[in-house]
Amino acid sequence: MTKPDRMIEIINLNKWFGPFHVLKDINLTVRDGEKFVICGPSGSGKSTLIRCINQLELHQEGSIVVDGIEVEAKGRNQRDIRSRVGMVFQSFNLFPHLTVLENCTLTPLLGQQMPKVEAEEIAMIHLTRVGIAEQAQKYPLQLSGGQQQRVAIARALCVKPKIMLFDEPTSALDPEMIKEVLDVMVELAEAGMTMICVTHEMGFARQVADQVIFMDQGEIVETNTPEAFFTKPAYDRSADFLSHIL
Amino acid sequence: MTSDLQTFVPRPDRPPPADSAGVAAWIRKNLFSDIPNALMTLLGAYIAFTVLSAVLNWALFNAVWSADTRRECLDAVGRAGACWPGVAIWFENLIYGLYPKDQVWRINVGFLALILWMVPLWIPRVTSKIGIGLSAVMLYPFLASYFFLGGDKGVVWTGLIALGLTGFVIVWATALTETLQAKTAGAWLIDALGRANAEEKMQTRIRLLAVLAIFLLACLAVWSVSFTEVRTRFWGGLFLTLVISGIGITFSLPAGIMLALGRRSNMPVIASLSTIFIELFRSVPLITILFMFNTMLPLFMPAGTEVNQLLRAIVAVCLFASAYMAEIIRGGLQAIPNGQYEAAHSLGLTYWQTTSQVVLPQALKIMIPAIVGNFIGLFKDTTLVSIIGLFDLMNMARAIGEDTNWLGLFIEPFFVVSLIYFVFCFAMSSYSIGLEKKLATGRDTG
Ligand SMILES: Nc1ncnc2c1ncn2[C@@H]1O[C@H](COP(=O)(O)OP(=O)(O)OP(=O)(O)O)[C@@H](O)[C@H]1O
Ligand SMILES: [Mg+2]
């Protein structure tokens, strides 16, 4: 089907919410190890696009292939897809009734039937990586927002995904905490993870992104290197958007 | 430029202001802070005193403690004091109904077994609490049913009873090894046999063999005892009330969960069936359902099959309680934010894994007060079975006043029955408050 180095291949993707055409003819190819940053005004369909990739939303037309597996429009092969794709949400969505460690081991234990000792070892490796190892026995709501988001990243990594999706991971955070989360993401990017981040952190985009995608009204308006995108955007719409957020 | 900056030095912490402690200070502050407060305090104290002294006078100081008929009581004190001998003579019936006196020990042992089964739940070092709780719900009924019913037991029933006994033995074995050695009975056995390093398969086989051995011993034990049959029409009093409400409570929680999940399901057939069931049973009074099941169920059954009257009442209570429980649980499910489902799905958890590990634990925790409230309501609602002629606690109390020796003796038995109900309901609600406090992690301590 696809060449092996293509992690995500989206061809002519279309999606509607009722009569509302939210994604229009999206085409996108992400190779192994590439980092994409998606930006664009509110309501442009950024979240919907990345949610289609791990089937939190089902698309109606076109095809999405993740790591060689076709994402079915009917949503039947969810587990194959989701074990390859990790997702981090704006609102963390940690499980408040489980400790930080239990949050991280839940899927390995249940879904992948890993022995407990091994699952906890892996979880501690990732928690150490995001700098939360000392808080492993605490409950999520005893942590700060930045710490919670880092736990959420560790939790997603415990499933050993090949691709990480981030949906505005820092926009619910106080400015002081944004950096600690971005640092973790930069570290992850440098370690070679394939990443798609919806974010308006342009510093982050400049630092790690291979490509910046600008979306408006359900379409990909512009795909460009960060250097080019920030210095001389190709479209008036992108320039206008940049002038508002920079 | 940096040299211009002043250094920020945080102030040292101070201890909080000392409370103006002391009993007198507390009373002054809370009961007599100003004139209206003082008046209310005095009025409250006066009302409490009047009611309490009236009740105590009637129930204790003016009461008659020995008499053979109600007439004697009335001749002695009239209506100024309670006439307790009637209640005392009937007391055993209030508790056990018309259960044969020489067999009553079976009820006691049956309930003792339940209490013993649950005791490990209160031992802090026991970790397999969920398993123990589940086994109590699934296996104890088999054990209890034979203690209470007795009579002929075929091969199947013997097996089931033995299963109950096996569960009991394993629960206590696990409770002991977990308290003393901090490992489950299975792990303890494998260590004791020196097989801790054996393959997983081998270990499972050892465990299964051990369970099988206990089961066979239990079969032998069950086979060797036999109890005379006590038909359910002799069941009554507190015993019957506990049986009906106990079954109703244990059935309604899982059934309510399934119905609530069904109602929220994406599958239209399941969703509409659940909704119809819930709305049907919630829009008809329990008493009507009891009547329907009592009189109409036999009409629908094939000729010749007889459904025991107690069973009919229990089925009615179970279905009714499940419908109510389903709506309570659904409320809890609705309180779980969508993000929780999305996070679980994006991690690759299946529907059932998400439901059992992420959604239900949170939903049930929120709903504990409402669930226990529903249990308490159900416990009290079982008094309605007296309408179809079952002699539960309430109906038994009424029977006392119809005994020729104690004709008209109603207030005293009802007083006692109220106390019994109060003790049970108060215990349940205290337990729920305790449970809530214990489970208050995360959300509240954050
Ligand atoms: N479940 C849904 N049902 C109907 N409409 C939806 C749904 N989810 C999103 N939409 C609509 O689709 C459009 C795109 O939403 P989306 O969340 O993808 O935007 P976004 O680019 O992520 O915006 P934001 O920056 O505000 O997060 C919006 O107009 C939104 O109102
Ligand atoms: Mg969004």
Side-chain angles (χ1 to χ4, degrees), chain B residues 317-341:
Chain B
V317 166
C318 281
L319 296 181
F320 180 79
S322 313
Y324 268 84
M325 192 55 78
E327 284 302 279
I328 290 177
I329 307 273
R330 196 166 67 98
L333 292 177
Q334 268 164 349
I336 305 302
N338 222 1
Q340 295 286 308
Y341 292 91

Side-chain angles (χ1 to χ4, degrees), chain A residues 17 20 22 40-49 57 167-168 200:
Chain A
F17 282 124
F20 176 54
V22 57
S42 180
S44 54
K46 310 179 294 290
S47 301
T48 311
L49 173 59
E57 302 286 356
D167 191 357
E168 308 204 28
H200 293 155

Side-chain angles (χ1 to χ4, degrees), chain A residues 51 54 56 79 82-83 85-87 89 93-98 103 106-107 110-111 139 141-142 155-156 159, chain B residues 338-350 353 356-359 361-362 365 441-446:
Chain A
R51 288 160 63 89
N54 74 345
L56 283 181
R79 299 199 68 191
R82 287 177 180 158
S83 62
V85 183
M87 181 144 185
F89 301 86
N93 295 346
L94 294 176
F95 305 133
H97 62 300
L98 300 177
N103 263 277
L106 185 65
T107 315
L110 278 181
Y139 286 92
L141 295 177
Q142 295 169 325
R155 177 176 71 175
V159 189
Chain B
N338 222 1
Q340 295 286 308
Y341 292 91
E342 291 185 348
H345 290 164
S346 75
L347 287 167
L349 296 180
T350 61
Q353 288 167 344
S356 66
Q357 303 295 318
V358 176
V359 179
Q362 296 185 57
K365 200 166 95 183
T441 50
R443 207 170 290 252
D444 316 314
T445 49

